Amino acid sequence: MADKQWPSDLGPVACIVGARPNFMKMAPILRAFSAHCPAVPTLLVHTGQHYDKDMNDRLFVDLRLPHPDINLEVGSGTHAVQTAEVMRRFEPLLDAQRPSCVLVVGDVNSTLACALVCAKKQVPVVHVEAGLRSHDRAMPEEINRVLTDQLADRLYTTERSAHDNLAREGIAAERVSFVGNVMIDSLLANRQFAHPPTQTLQQAGFDPALVSDPQGYGVVTLHRPSNVDQVETLAPLLAVLSETAQRIPLVLALHPRTRGNIERFGLAHLLCSPRVVLLPPQGYLEMLGLLAGARLVLSDSGGLQEETTALGVPCLTLRANTERPITVDQGTNTLVGSDPLAIRQGVDQILRGAGKSGRVPELWDGRAAERIAADLAPWLLARHSASRH
Ligand code: UD1
């Protein structure tokens, strides 16, 4: 492909990012196109779903993501408002740019919104990280996953279980390809640049000795509405974290939603301990350093389940289900939900040295984006030439 001409009437691959977990997935894809298929033009579109410095700007720098060609600046809103606003602003862009396809990643509102606009305009949709299912429709991301996959023309998966999910939903196998995990491409490409945890603490004004504790330290992230939006759930979760901090120092990187709710519900006292480090959302390289050095991770994030599996760090996922079952079956992940007793038992097990060590899943080898570029470029060319005959 490298030496082939891109037809002048075939538009760019429009790559969509909207929120934090999209950035680490898109960075290797853009790099793979420029390294392996340099003839293919790309266009980076940011919907602006995440907008503040901590959630956005630092990650762009850390991941060496180019400045977006276009920013739709949608900002916050209810799910309906946010989704509708992305659609409304994306449609004229699609008309003006006429991309050859629109490539979306993951499961955030921007993923579905852009896919839906494309499907109505018959612009091919490419979904990276397709087929993951928590089977929990109360999760907004699950709705985004199911619908985006229904709309997608090419679907790239991270684990084989995704193929069964897609087959059950009537999606033809020839549209689906197992390529591995682009998020792990980012992790492997950046591991050498990860910031030491002591430096991260020092720069945030905390005692770096906390992450040199002989017990090690734990990393916590929490942001799912189901965990943080009701005081009845959030208060016991923070109480068990506070209790855990007596045994092992904890570093929390707080999402704005969670920080806001802790203040609103008057729960800040629960985290007021010299063994709890409260940080704002971290840059990618800071977070990678914190995770790689951790003895345990407690989180309700999707991505952290995969990153801890790739790093071999035991992870307790504060959710009742996961859309990434391979992290439990093969990796270091254990589902503990939001029940304090289960969380306590999980922590006990890890601190006794009986945490999971796991193994790295198939094709999580740092080359997933390369496989996507190698598959997508000829697919677009073949589709283009078929449309002319
Ligand atoms: C979104 C994604 C979720 C992803 C998460 C990671 C959806 C449905 N959810 O959830 O899949 O795991 O991002 O970060 O798309 N806020 C800020 N600054 C920002 C962004 C948000 O202060 O840059 C605040 C806003 O006040 C907002 C709240 O955080 O009300 C939640 O943001 P939102 O974009 O609605 O969803 P997330 O919870 O971040």
Side-chain angles (χ1 to χ4, degrees), residues 115-178:
L116 194 47
V117 176
C118 291
K120 296 279 180 81
K121 298 231 158 199
Q122 302 198 321
V123 174
V125 175
V126 178
H127 187 204
V128 174
E129 204 190 66
L132 297 182
R133 297 290 181 268
S134 64
H135 306 290
D136 174 7
R137 295 267 175 129
M139 217 180 154
E141 291 84 352
E142 182 75 354
I143 311 290
N144 295 341
R145 290 179 199 120
V146 170
L147 297 178
T148 303
D149 285 338
Q150 282 297 328
L151 300 170
D153 299 273
R154 284 296 300 139
L155 299 92
Y156 295 113
T157 63
T158 54
E159 57 174 281
R160 290 191 187 273
S161 72
H163 294 247
D164 302 334
N165 295 331
L166 293 169
R168 255 196 313 276
E169 292 168 16
I171 292 166
E174 58 269 22
R175 282 157 59 194
V176 188
S177 180
F178 174 45

Side-chain angles (χ1 to χ4, degrees), residues 19-21 49-52 55 76-77 79 82 107-109 140-141 144 223-224 255-257:
R20 180 170 61 179
Q49 182 178 334
H50 280 176
Y51 46 86
D52 65 30
M55 301 291 285
S76 292
H79 286 271
Q82 198 170 57
D107 55 16
V108 303
N109 288 338
E141 291 84 352
N144 295 341
H223 77 277
R224 296 239 157 254
H255 186 284
R257 172 193 287 277

Side-chain angles (χ1 to χ4, degrees), residues 331-351:
T332 57
N333 190 18
T334 307
L335 299 180
V336 289
S338 50
D339 171 28
L341 186 66
I343 297 171
R344 208 173 286 134
Q345 283 172 347
V347 171
D348 280 345
Q349 197 172 20
I350 294 168
L351 294 187

Side-chain angles (χ1 to χ4, degrees), residues 42-85:
T42 55
L43 180 82
L44 181 60
V45 180
H46 193 333
T47 65
Q49 182 178 334
H50 280 176
Y51 46 86
D52 65 30
K53 229 179 163 26
D54 293 336
M55 301 291 285
N56 189 65
D57 302 13
R58 281 169 73 186
L59 295 177
F60 265 72
V61 174
D62 286 355
L63 291 159
R64 286 163 280 131
L65 260 170
H67 198 70
D69 296 293
I70 296 160
N71 192 324
L72 301 177
E73 298 181 345
V74 297
S76 292
T78 63
H79 286 271
V81 166
Q82 198 170 57
T83 308
E85 206 48 41

